[in-house]
Each structure stands twice: as C-alpha cells, then as structure tokens.
Amino acid sequence: MDIPAIGDAEELSCDVLVIGGGTAGTMAALTAAERGARVLLLEKAHVRHSGALAMGMDGVNNAVVPGRAEPDDYVAEITRANDGVVDQSTVRQTATRGFAMVQRLESYGVKFEKDEHGEYAVRQVHRSGSYVLPMPEGKDVKKVLYRQLRRREMRERIRIENRVMPVRVLTSPEDGRAIGAAAFNTRTGAFVTVRAGAVILATGPCGRLGLPASGYLYGTYENPTNAGDGYAMAYHAGAALTGIECFQINPLIKDYNGPACAYVANPFGGYQVNRHGERFVDSDYWSGQMMAEFAAELASDRGPVYLKLSHLPEESVASLESILHTTERPTRGTFHAGRGHDYRTHDIEMHISEIGLCGGHSASGVRVDDHARTTVPRLYAAGDLASVPHNYMIGAFVFGDLAGGDAARHTAYEGTLPADQLAAAHELIYRPLRNPDGPPQPQVEYKLRRFVNDYVAPPKTGAKLSLAVAAFDRMTGEIAEMGARTAHELMRCAEVSFIRDCAEMAARSSLARTESRWGLYHERLDHPERDDTGWLYHLDLRKSASGAMEFTARPVEPYLVPVDGFAPAGGPARHLGEVDLVPVATAGSREAAPAARAQAAPDGPDGPDAVPAAAPEHGSASSPRILELLALAEESPDLDVLRPYLADPDPAVRAAAVAALGETVPAGAGPALAARLADAAPVVRAAAAAALRELVEVLPGGPELGAGLRAALVVPDPAVRSAALEALRALRLGDVQAYAASLADADPEVRIHAVRALVSVDAVPELAAAAADPAREVRVAVAKGLASVHAPAPGPLDPLLADADPLVRGAALGALASVGCPDGYARTAVAALADAAWQVRAGAAAGLSAAAPHTAVPALAKALADANADVRKAAVLALLAHRDAPEARAALATAVSDPDADVRAYAGRAA
C-alpha cells in the first residue's frame, strides 16, 4: 500500500476521546455521554468483541456487597496482598463504589448469581472476606455493554470508530495537557488525527510481554491484543508510570494458557494440591507471595501441582464444566477432550504463566489519582492499564466511570495540532512500508519476547536485567527495519514497538528497586530481603526532557485504613534519576586487554529465532437473511421489524432473530422470547432460553411474559422448562402451585430448579415433600434449600439426615449450621463424626457450629485428628464459631501446625 500524506489525514473532533473499547473504555464512554459530552470511542478491533471481557468472565473478584463485606476490610486485604505499596485512596474507590457498579451493570442486563430470595450469592474464596460474586452468564457481558452503547440516546452522543488504532497521545506545546491522538485505520491504512478536550486511555494490560512456554505469540494468559499500547502512549506523552517492576504472573492450566480457575472451583470443593494430594498454599490472597509458594512447590520433588476435582460428586463436576467450558474460555473443554482427560478421572495439571504488566491483577500501570487522572493534565487512565492494585473487572468499571465523569467537564481543543508530534507518529506507523521485504513482525517479536523470558522474568538479578536493557536497546534498530505490506501488518509492527517500550520499562524498573517484594512478582536474587525502611515507596518512572527513562521513589502516603505490619510515614519523594546498569561485558576479572577483532555483523531475525508467519484468516459466507439481521441490529429495531425474521421458515434465521432480540431488547422482547421457547427447532429454543437467562434482570415482569413462561413448563425440552422456571423465580411471576407441579418433572435438573423456586417463596411443606425424590442431586438441593428459607427449622431435615446416600446426609448435617442444631440434632451430628464417609463427617462438623458449646467443642476437638483434611478444616471453622470458649481456643491452638495449609491458616485466625 502507499504511504498516505500527513495532509490527507482524516481529522475527527470530540470533547472526550476514549482509547480502547473494552471494560473500562465502554463505561467511560457511557458516563461521559450521560454527562453531556461528545464522545469518540476508538477501538483497533471492534467494540462488540474487544478487550479482556470478550474472552469470558466467570465472576467478580471484588464485590463488596453490604452485609457481606466492609470496604475497609477489602482495602486492608489489598494492602496486605500488595506488601503495603498501595495508594489506599484509589483502592477505596473500588471498595465503596463497587456495589453501585454491580447494580448499574445489572440494570444493563449483566447477570450476577443470586440465591432463591434474590440476594447476591457472594462466596468466600479467600480465607478472609467474602468478595467473589459468580456470573453464570459472564460470557455475554461484552454483548450487554455494546447494546448500551448502541442505544439511540447514546448513539447521538457517542461516535464509535472501529478498526482505528491510536499510536500516540498528542499534547499541547504550551502547557503539556492532552489534546488528542494520532492514529490509523487498521483496514485501509488511512492516517487519522483527533482533537479532543480530554483523553482517556483504556487499552488494557501488556499481556503480550513474556513469551508463553508454548512459544505461540498469541497464546498468552491475557488477551493477546493487549500489547501495552496504553503504557507506551502514556510514557511518550510524559505521564508517570508506577509499579512497573511488579509483574503479573498467574497460575494456569499447563499447555493451555487459560486460568485454572481455582477460585471458581473452591466453593464446589476443589483445591490446589501437590502430587501427593496435599494442600500447600499458606498465603491468604492470590498475590505474588502465593505465586512464590506455588513456584516453590512446582520446583520441588512434590511437583507437579494440580487443581483437584476428581473427588467431587457428579453434580459438582457437571456444574463446574458448565461454567468453565462456556463462560471462561470456551476452548477449555476442547483442550481437555483432546487429551482424553475428564475432571471425573483426571485432576488438572497447573503451571505458571509468562510475565505481563497489569494493574488489575498486580500493580503495574499508569499512575492515577482517585479520579483516574494521570500526571498529565486532561489525560486519564482506567482499567488494567491504571495502577490500582488488584482492581479486577469491577475496579475497571469504577475507574472508567470516574474517568468519564471527570473528563466530561472539558470541551474539544480548538488550536493547531502539533506538527512535530504528528510527523513522529506518522513515521512510527508507516515506516515498515518503506521496507516491505524487511524482517517480518512475527520473527522480530518472537526474538524480543524471548529476551524478556531469558533476562527479565523472575527470579531477577542485576546482571540479567542489564543484559535485557542492552538487548532491548539493540532491538530498537531491528524494529525500525521491520517490513510490512498491509494495514494489518502495520498494526502488528506498531504493537511490537509498544512491547519493546514495556520490556525496557520492566527491566529498568526492576533494576531500580533493590529489594525483593511481592513474592514471585519481584524476586531479586541479589537483593533477597524486603526493605520497608528504604523501599516502602512507589517507584515512578517517566520520560525525561532528554528522552531517557528516569525514576523517582515516591513514599506511600499514610493509610486511610490502618494495616498491621506497615506504617507509611509519607514525606518527600526521592529523585533517583536514570538507573545504573550492572557491568556484564566479561565473566570475572580481566587480566589483559582483549585482542581487537573485526566488527561483527548486526544481529538479524533469522536462524533459531524465526517462527512461521501467522496464517491468513478465512471467513465463511452467511445467509443473506442473517446478514440483514446483523445490519438491523446495529440500528436497534423495534419488535415489529424483527417479527418476520422470528417467523422465518429457516431455523438458523429464527435463531439469529432471537439473538438480535436479546441484543437490542425492544419493547415486548420478553413475551416474544417466551413464545420462542416453544419453537420446533432446538437451536431456536436454546437461543431463546439463553436470551431469557441473560436478560432476566432487565425484562419487565408483566402478565403476558408470565403466561408465556408458564406455557413453557410443558414444552418437551427440559432445558426450556429449566429456563422457564428460572425466569419465573427471578421475575417473581410464579407461585407455589406451579413450582410444586414441576417437582414431578421427569428431568432432575428441572426438579432442582423447582426446588430453588420453592425456596424463593418459602414453601417449606412442598420442599419437605421433595426429600423423597429419587435423584440424589435433588435431595442435596432440598437440604440446602431448607437451610435457605427465611424461617428455617431442623424438623424438615429429618428424612434427609437418615438418607442412605452419604452426600445427602452430609448436606443435611451441614444445613444444621443455618437452621440450628438443638441437643437432639447435636447428638446426631456427634455420632456422624464417626461415619465412614468423609463428606458426612465434614457436614457433621459444620453443623456443630450451631450446637451448644458443651456438646460441640469436645467432639470437634477430636475431629481435628481426622484422617481427612476437609473434615479437619470443617472442624476448625466450626470451632471458630465457638472461640469464646477456652476449650475451643485451646483446640484451635493445636491445629496451627496441621500438615494441611488450609487447616493451619484458618486455625491461625483464632489468634
């Protein structure tokens, strides 16, 4: 392609420019538009399916729901997880605003798991604090957000430009404030300039930094499109970045660069073990310290490490499969199937990911204040790009909202865009076209990221990090020689320049912090101790006037929430300047000057570093009617426009119409979806059931919808009947008679949904009648349901306590913890501590938490010697409920040396 002239650039104007259409970017655009700003949203892919959210989301890690957790507790936990180097004012924004954001997302149609009474089903996954809120339909979050962006009132204020990639933020020569961006179209190659009143960076983490063990450039743990674009743009705009030495490293499934999701499996009874089946993680929060324990176990003779699921009952395994194989990385099931592995017979081998930079999962990012403002005026950062430690998805939404609200105060820049900055951006973008036969991007990127693995990944040393800096300096020339022929290749070449910038930042920052902190994230072998006296500081880096990377040690501000073990005093910052490299030219001392030799040829990308170029993408033709529907969906059509497609003879068209209905949600969508539950084609019924589940929080619950859902209770498809029961319960459109009738359904899954529905209306007699259900999983659901009604009592549990199945007895005994455990039931629970099945013993221990201390404590103290670690863990948790009794505290004191990590950790909380 030809290089476009700068003068031919397409110029766009807006009040607020949002760069990145993922989690934080979409929220920033929505909020800025709601505040009256003219918004331009630039996305190098397509907003409908861009960003980390598009890869799937199975839950919220930091839902501070009133009554379940306190904001100050969450702030303290994140402070401990980040070894004290935290700006608590930013973390507290997530803690205090997160619940309102959950409710806002729910009003959009994002579905969070709730119990039968409509309360948020928050889980305790970490040993302190209940913050994890599952999202059963999390795979659809991005679709829901895109639907909000395309609402008519939003389209009037938000202009979306897909396939436009910014490479530099433009700043005013007078005062340095952000005034726009330079970009190009990744399909046509056209040069694009933007003038703006404020700029919000929301480009996600630098996930494509280290090279995965597989060697695949795009087989990364994070979304591989996140190549550090925002980190590089912020740096070159003059903004301060901080914590860049604190890497993101995650546990993952070996050979499959997706999360193992231990925190998802934990509430079902899954956990991490070594090859002997022993739990070994002592750390309380998923942090660098926990990763250090993980890496040490992996490297010992107790490795490999596994996520243990094979001990779980069928219903738990099936539930986990439904979450992990659909919501979080749908290819996961295919991966396991290709190896002939099944969770029922094989535990999941785990490993450690490549390194990356990510504020949302560690601390590396652009420095922001508690309104998402960077150190450059009118430049904002939000999401994984911003340094708000362990911010996760809800934090990205919160800071996107903060950025959008603050940026909306500004109006479009009206001056002349700086010609020198535009020329530099133009050169960065189009340079590869002048050398089309130069080294291709995949080869250069592979070599660059191999150096990251060799020299920057922990454990770190000054010598290796200095070699890394030298390698990245050298590769600046190789990157300048890369060749490209198409706009898509230009995009990839620009990404390589961003990765190189991030790699140098990571290496130099790691050199500057001369201590070890954050466990595996920043382990310096040559400085192995944590040094709070010298380093309870944020390490900020910025681009100096000369173009060099310089550092400042900024003291941690005094905490808003006190945390034991840390006492930041604040005070002045310490200017460090440029970091000194460690001499690495020779191994050991040199006795004589080296002999001269001829100049070596510069390193090239050939040889062992070469990898095949990526294969071209291929699409497939679609039905013209479906293509019509896709075009219509962009215009948010009324129901009348969609009706002909809903009645089309072709099932594929009807299914696509149902999908369009679920995406646009016009008036009358609920009854129309309910009607499709009776469609003759399974694919249409499945689409309608999925749409109803996704939209259940936002559909108005009128009589017409209720009638349609009731009619679906007799449809022969059990998936439809389950979906109808779920919607009736969530929308409060059903009654005891309808739910009780479904207890006679032939399908156990439908009967489980009927049990949940009966719990929602506190129908205890009907629930008790289901205690005789022939399916074990239904009886387990009944036991848990009887513990969840508003006025629980132990009497209805009697038949379940005598059930022949150990899992049912265990669930019934565990329910005593909620319904109460008076003397007669306490004696039953004490006797059950001798049962042959460990599940029964664990349930009995849990139930005794509600018994009188004089009965419970002696029995639980004996249970601390049980051969099964889960029984001992349940006994410790029950003893914590009786910690006021001296005998309970004495028993807990003996458990702090238990061989199981979970038992030790929970017992230690008694202190």
Side-chain angles (χ1 to χ4, degrees):
M1 59 172 287
D2 294 329
I3 298 176
I6 294 181
D8 294 335
E10 177 186 1
E11 184 173 298
L12 306 174
S13 178
C14 61
D15 298 328
V16 176
L17 169 62
V18 179
I19 298 176
T23 312
T26 51
M27 187 58 68
L30 288 167
T31 297
E34 289 169 358
R35 301 287 178 88
R38 293 184 303 114
V39 179
L40 174 63
L41 176 57
L42 299 186
E43 168 57 55
K44 67 181 178 182
H46 194 293
V47 174
R48 185 197 297 267
H49 46 70
S50 63
L53 269 186
M55 299 179 72
M57 183 60 61
D58 50 36
V60 173
N61 288 356
N62 52 350
V64 183
V65 176
R68 299 298 303 274
E70 294 296 326
D72 284 1
D73 292 339
Y74 176 76
V75 172
E77 184 155 343
I78 296 304
T79 302
R80 286 189 292 268
N82 213 54
D83 277 0
V85 183
V86 170
D87 179 353
Q88 285 193 347
S89 67
T90 60
V91 176
R92 203 167 196 284
Q93 287 283 50
T94 298
T96 57
R97 292 172 175 263
F99 181 60
M101 183 56 66
V102 167
Q103 293 178 308
R104 178 175 176 180
L105 292 170
E106 202 167 45
S107 74
Y108 292 166
V110 176
K111 188 173 176 61
F112 299 96
E113 185 173 331
K114 293 184 177 180
D115 64 20
E116 294 81 358
H117 299 290
E119 301 294 328
Y120 294 100
V122 182
R123 309 284 176 81
Q124 180 171 344
V125 173
H126 310 298
R127 294 175 185 133
S128 61
S130 298
Y131 307 115
V132 175
L133 180 56
M135 299 170 65
E137 305 297 327
K139 65 183 183 300
D140 295 322
V141 176
K142 196 63 200 294
K143 184 173 75 173
V144 172
L145 291 172
Y146 186 69
R147 185 167 65 230
Q148 289 300 310
L149 290 171
R150 301 307 296 161
R151 283 166 39 216
R152 285 190 176 91
E153 58 270 34
M154 287 293 102
R155 280 186 291 166
E156 293 172 358
R157 304 211 66 87
I158 301 174
R159 175 175 178 177
I160 298 175
E161 289 291 336
N162 293 307
R163 313 295 179 188
V164 174
M165 178 184 184
V167 297
R168 288 291 186 264
V169 172
L170 304 176
T171 56
S172 167
E174 290 79 27
D175 56 14
R177 75 181 189 271
I179 58 173
F184 72 103
N185 188 295
T186 62
R187 289 292 172 86
T188 68
F191 191 48
V192 179
T193 62
V194 182
R195 58 177 67 246
V199 179
I200 301 173
L201 292 172
T203 55
C206 182
R208 215 162 88 219
L209 184 63
L211 189 68
S214 65
Y216 298 140
L217 293 182
Y218 307 114
T220 52
Y221 180 93
E222 289 286 353
N223 188 328
T225 63
N226 294 332
D229 308 33
Y231 287 79
M233 283 190 278
Y235 172 74
H236 289 291
L241 292 92
T242 192
I244 304 301
E245 70 280 17
C246 179
F247 299 162
Q248 177 190 20
I249 306 170
N250 296 93
L252 47 74
I253 302 171
K254 190 175 187 304
D255 299 328
Y256 173 79
N257 254 39
C261 294
Y263 63 91
V264 176
N266 180 281
F268 290 90
Y271 46 80
Q272 298 161 88
V273 297
N274 57 29
R275 70 183 178 90
H276 302 299
E278 301 162 337
R279 283 187 287 234
F280 59 89
V281 174
D282 282 308
S283 243
D284 191 34
Y285 195 83
W286 202 272
S287 61
Q289 180 56 40
M290 187 176 284
M291 286 307 305
E293 294 175 13
F294 189 100
E297 198 76 6
L298 195 64
S300 75
D301 64 350
R302 298 178 299 278
V305 168
Y306 297 88
L307 175 62
K308 186 164 186 60
L309 302 176
S310 58
H311 66 297
L312 298 177
E314 169 59 30
E315 48 268 38
S316 295
V317 173
S319 295
L320 280 168
E321 284 178 334
S322 70
I323 297 170
L324 299 178
H325 294 179
T326 57
T327 300
E328 181 71 60
R329 311 280 172 104
T331 55
R332 179 178 180 143
T334 306
F335 170 80
H336 291 312
R339 295 194 159 203
H341 288 182
D342 187 290
Y343 297 158
R344 297 156 187 82
T345 56
H346 290 75
D347 294 318
I348 302 167
E349 187 178 354
M350 299 173 67
H351 215 266
I352 292 175
S353 74
E354 69 286 348
I355 67 170
L357 303 179
C358 179
H361 290 80
S362 56
S364 305
V366 178
R367 177 182 165 187
V368 294
D369 66 10
D370 55 2
H371 282 81
R373 295 178 289 233
T374 73
T375 57
V376 170
R378 302 197 186 186
L379 179 64
Y380 300 79
D384 285 340
L385 168 72
S387 179
V388 185
H390 299 280
N391 212 20
Y392 305 117
M393 182 188 78
I394 287 298
F397 280 130
V398 165
F399 272 80
D401 176 56
L402 290 167
D406 203 72
R409 300 179 293 120
H410 306 295
T411 56
Y413 177 72
E414 296 181 353
T416 301
L417 296 179
D420 58 337
Q421 295 179 40
L422 291 176
H426 188 275
E427 172 65 13
L428 171 66
I429 295 167
Y430 299 108
R431 179 177 57 199
L433 293 178
R434 298 198 191 95
N435 187 29
D437 294 320
Q441 163 263 331
Q443 291 184 9
V444 178
E445 182 176 334
Y446 182 90
K447 182 175 182 179
L448 169 66
R449 291 168 63 191
R450 186 171 60 79
F451 283 140
V452 170
N453 280 21
D454 289 345
Y455 298 134
V456 184
K460 311 172 187 179
T461 67
K464 288 199 299 181
L465 293 167
S466 298
L467 284 170
V469 171
F472 302 146
D473 282 346
R474 186 172 67 248
M475 287 206 69
T476 302
E478 296 181 24
I479 290 171
E481 295 171 357
M482 279 190 301
R485 298 174 184 271
T486 68
H488 180 81
E489 290 173 349
L490 287 179
M491 176 183 72
R492 293 297 186 216
C493 289
E495 288 176 337
V496 175
S497 74
F498 298 150
I499 296 168
R500 196 221 68 86
D501 287 345
C502 290
E504 183 181 354
M505 288 188 238
R508 290 186 183 273
S509 296
S510 296
L511 267 171
R513 184 177 283 274
T514 52
E515 63 157 358
S516 288
R517 189 177 289 269
W518 308 301
L520 191 63
Y521 295 168
H522 180 67
E523 181 186 358
R524 283 283 301 259
L525 295 179
D526 46 354
H527 297 281
E529 301 300 323
R530 194 177 86 187
D531 176 14
D532 281 356
T533 302
W535 275 113
L536 198 58
Y537 285 80
H538 301 276
L539 181 64
D540 293 353
L541 76 86
R542 69 174 71 233
K543 187 177 183 179
S544 70
S546 66
M549 228 171 254
E550 63 177 18
F551 294 89
T552 300
R554 175 170 51 92
V556 174
E557 290 295 319
Y559 293 153
L560 302 172
V561 179
V563 178
D564 290 342
F566 301 100
R574 189 169 78 235
H575 183 68
L576 304 177
E578 297 180 43
V579 67
D580 293 328
L581 304 185
V582 174
V584 290
T586 181
S589 61
R590 180 174 302 197
E591 300 298 331
R597 64 172 186 168
Q599 179 67 38
D603 289 344
D606 299 322
D609 300 310
V611 295
E617 298 179 0
H618 296 282
S620 58
S622 300
S623 159
R625 293 280 283 173
I626 293 176
L627 294 176
E628 289 174 13
L629 271 169
L630 291 174
L632 279 173
E634 291 291 322
E635 303 303 319
S636 299
D638 294 332
L639 179 58
D640 288 341
V641 177
L642 293 174
R643 287 192 195 279
Y645 299 93
L646 290 168
D648 194 277
D650 185 349
V653 174
R654 297 201 302 278
V658 167
L661 196 63
E663 183 169 316
T664 58
V665 199
L673 289 171
R676 287 299 99 199
L677 291 174
D679 196 280
V683 66
V684 181
R685 297 196 301 272
L692 278 167
R693 283 195 171 98
E694 178 191 338
L695 300 172
V696 71
E697 304 292 346
V698 295
L699 291 175
E704 187 179 0
L705 176 55
L709 293 172
R710 286 171 180 269
L713 293 177
V714 296
V715 170
D717 188 339
V720 166
R721 301 196 298 276
S722 292
L725 278 168
E726 191 174 343
L728 283 168
R729 174 182 58 80
L731 293 167
R732 298 293 190 264
L733 294 174
D735 55 31
V736 173
Q737 289 74 23
Y739 299 153
S742 292
L743 288 175
D745 197 282
D747 188 85
E749 187 67 25
V750 176
R751 301 202 298 276
I752 289 174
H753 280 286
V755 167
R756 295 198 70 204
L758 287 167
V759 172
S760 71
V761 292
D762 293 315
V764 173
E766 288 76 11
L767 280 171
D773 193 281
R776 175 184 72 187
E777 58 268 35
V778 177
R779 302 198 301 280
V780 169
V782 171
K784 294 178 179 178
L786 287 169
S788 301
V789 295
H790 281 129
L797 289 169
D798 287 347
L800 298 168
L801 290 167
D803 197 279
D805 190 286
L807 290 184
V808 178
R809 295 200 306 281
L813 286 160
L816 292 173
S818 298
V819 306
C821 190
D823 285 347
Y825 292 91
R827 288 193 293 273
T828 300
V830 170
L833 287 173
D835 196 281
W838 71 265
Q839 296 94 335
V840 174
R841 302 199 302 276
L848 285 170
S849 65
H854 68 272
T855 302
V857 172
L860 290 169
K862 291 180 181 178
L864 292 178
D866 196 282
N868 185 278
D870 284 308
V871 177
R872 302 199 302 275
K873 176 181 172 181
V876 164
L877 291 172
L879 283 167
L880 286 172
H882 298 294
R883 72 175 77 189
D884 290 342
E887 297 85 354
R889 293 196 298 274
L892 287 165
T894 68
V896 295
S897 58
D898 191 278
D900 184 83
D902 269 9
V903 176
R904 292 195 303 271
Y906 283 113
R909 288 174 58 189

